[in-house]
Amino acid sequence: MTRLAHLWDQSRCVACGACIAACNAANYGSTGRVNKTWGWLASNIKRVELVRGPRPMLLLVQCQHCDNAPCVAVCPTGASYRDVDGLVKIKAELCIGCKYCMVACPYEARWLDEESGLPRKCMEEECLSRVKAGLEPVCVAVCPAGARAFGDLDDPNSAISRRLAQSRYIRLLEDKGTEPKYFVVVGP
Amino acid sequence: MTAFQEIWSPYLIGPFLWLAGIAGMGSVAYVMLARQRVEGFQRLAYALLPAIVLALVFVVADLSRPWNMPGAILSSILGGTFGWVRSWMAVGIALLSLGTVLLLFLTLRYIADSGILVRIVDSTWYGVLLVVVGVLITIYSGFLIAAAPGIPFWNTALIPVLWLLSASVCALALVELLLHHGDVTRQVVRISVALESAELIAVLALINLALYGGSTAARLSAQALAYGPLAAAFWGGVVGLGVVIPLAIGIVSMKRQNRALTAAAAVLALIGALLLRILVLQAGVFEPIP
């Protein structure tokens, strides 16, 4: 079985925003259109700043491609589905725009594209076609600090499996039972 | 400042849930009155179809791809991906479609002079179907939001129960407004007092549980309603005008009936139920990460 997943290394990230900009450029043609759901630019990566100590902490949040995805469970038409590669995807032709997936996602990882009426999220067409061609998603490819990885969790030799084997990591809101596949590395 | 969910418009989905409840429990009230041959029970039939149609108008108005709805639903049914037993939204689409057809025939039964329609609609099985679909539509309107894991304040079994109680109060208010006469009013007032008392307990329990036992997001929602930016509308509109005053009028009316007062109580109960749904939707907050 294939279980594709994302990794973001908080300890390596330099907060340059290259992944966010690359997502915007590759998937939304560098549009200046506003993502009103997040009050952010048209990108599938959300930047969250946490101020809970002497210095602010950065967290990048995106679709977690959950094994037990609430967005898939609540979708009335099956427009949101979990593909055989383990990624959560959207079939635009089946989407009625009820936004149930958006209120069901505990990570608030989807935003509404007001032009098409579609909920948007990681990963979009450009990244999916790159992965199909054996390339990395754009956010992983452009990261100058090597803070991102992508690959098959079920393959012990994949980049992500090797990084996870050597790191301490957390998964966000694990208590929700969603079995997220977005790993936040917090240290070696 | 608490960031409330803005994905589902409280001013579209709130009225949708309210009207669906009125159509649902109104159908139950219609069948009960029709079986007892209460004078003027037909008037209720004319109110139910507009209620369910308006409910559909409100929910479709909140869709971001309404033009894609018929084709997508049909494709998903034919393709086997429709969430019959997986998604409350899909269950609702099926129930609301069935409810609309049932209420359309019910209205036509009184408008068109057709013997076949009269035989079908007046049959026992049609009444049973109306009751079952009506109750299920009301329960669905609660589960729809209770089953959205992104908003912890909604994730409680109290919501479907509260919606059922509140929709039952609305159905009785509708009966009171449309069929005011002695015996019916006495019975309606007595049942309304019981239901409004239960509704008051359920509303307070919803806030209390979230305030003291809920997750961070549920607590933020409850705080907003209890003493935050939504408190005036909640205590003044939902609890005061929508439940306590109708309840007090009901208790007084059990001893001495006053038509104007019971009608005012019915109108207030309807407004309170609408406000309840709008505010519960508006108060939705996502869990902070991490």
Side-chain angles (χ1 to χ4, degrees), chain B:
Chain B
M1 182 88 179
T2 310
F4 299 120
Q5 70 84 22
E6 292 177 358
I7 294 167
W8 274 349
S9 164
Y11 303 104
L12 292 174
I13 298 299
F16 157 66
L17 300 174
W18 179 67
L19 287 160
I22 289 175
M25 293 317 287
S27 301
V28 178
Y30 167 83
V31 173
M32 290 170 80
L33 293 171
R35 285 192 71 80
Q36 292 174 36
R37 294 267 151 221
V38 173
E39 188 193 330
F41 73 90
Q42 300 87 340
R43 268 174 250 157
L44 202 56
Y46 294 109
L48 299 178
L49 183 64
I52 203 161
V53 169
L54 259 178
L56 293 173
V57 168
F58 274 104
V59 73
V60 170
D62 195 58
L63 297 181
S64 58
R65 292 164 62 82
W67 65 88
N68 202 40
M69 187 179 63
I73 290 174
L74 195 65
S75 300
S76 63
I77 290 173
L78 296 175
T81 58
F82 193 75
W84 297 104
V85 290
R86 187 193 66 234
S87 160
W88 276 104
M89 182 76 76
V91 171
I93 290 170
L95 284 173
L96 287 167
S97 307
L98 183 57
T100 306
V101 172
L102 289 174
L103 292 177
L104 177 67
F105 283 134
L106 180 68
T107 311
L108 286 175
R109 180 243 179 270
Y110 294 107
I111 293 172
D113 189 21
S114 159
I116 299 171
L117 263 180
V118 170
R119 266 199 305 281
I120 292 173
V121 173
D122 290 355
S123 65
T124 306
W125 69 264
Y126 201 90
V128 171
L129 196 57
L130 258 181
V131 168
V132 171
V133 173
V135 171
L136 287 177
I137 285 176
T138 311
I139 292 174
Y140 139 77
S141 72
F143 275 110
L144 180 71
I145 68 165
I151 313 283
F153 182 57
W154 300 343
N155 302 153
T156 161
L158 260 176
I159 295 262
V161 176
L162 179 55
W163 264 214
L164 193 65
L165 288 170
S166 154
S168 303
V169 168
C170 287
L172 290 174
L174 205 61
V175 171
E176 178 53 37
L177 289 171
L178 296 175
L179 271 81
H180 186 92
H181 57 80
D183 284 348
V184 176
T185 301
R186 240 188 312 277
Q187 212 176 335
V188 163
V189 165
R190 214 173 299 138
I191 303 169
S192 293
V193 165
L195 288 173
E196 277 157 357
S197 305
E199 186 185 358
L200 184 61
I201 294 167
V203 168
L204 297 178
L206 177 71
I207 299 300
N208 201 276
L209 287 178
L211 269 181
Y212 302 112
S215 66
T216 306
R219 199 165 59 247
L220 288 172
S221 298
Q223 282 171 354
L225 289 168
Y227 42 79
L230 306 175
F234 177 72
W235 292 112
V238 175
V239 178
L241 287 176
V243 184
V244 173
I245 291 178
L247 183 59
I249 292 174
I251 292 168
V252 171
S253 301
M254 282 164 77
K255 289 196 171 171
R256 195 182 50 202
Q257 273 190 39
N258 177 314
R259 175 157 196 187
L261 265 182
T262 47
V267 171
L268 287 176
L270 284 165
I271 295 171
L274 173 62
L275 265 178
L276 171 69
R277 285 156 178 79
I278 291 175
L279 288 176
V280 166
L281 280 168
Q282 177 136 29
V285 175
F286 282 91
E287 195 70 47
I289 299 176

Side-chain angles (χ1 to χ4, degrees), chain A residues 15-48 58 60-62 108-114 118-122 124:
Chain A
C16 64
C19 55
I20 296 168
C23 177
N24 170 265
N27 296 303
Y28 305 105
S30 297
T31 177
R33 225 165 63 226
V34 181
N35 156 3
K36 287 185 187 163
T37 312
W38 297 347
W40 190 230
L41 73 164
S43 172
N44 300 324
I45 303 167
K46 187 167 55 171
R47 184 185 161 120
V48 178
L58 172 78
L60 297 181
V61 181
Q62 61 193 63
E108 223 185 329
R110 293 181 175 222
W111 58 279
L112 187 70
D113 182 346
E114 296 197 337
L118 276 173
R120 299 288 192 184
K121 64 167 213 72
C122 167
E124 284 292 342

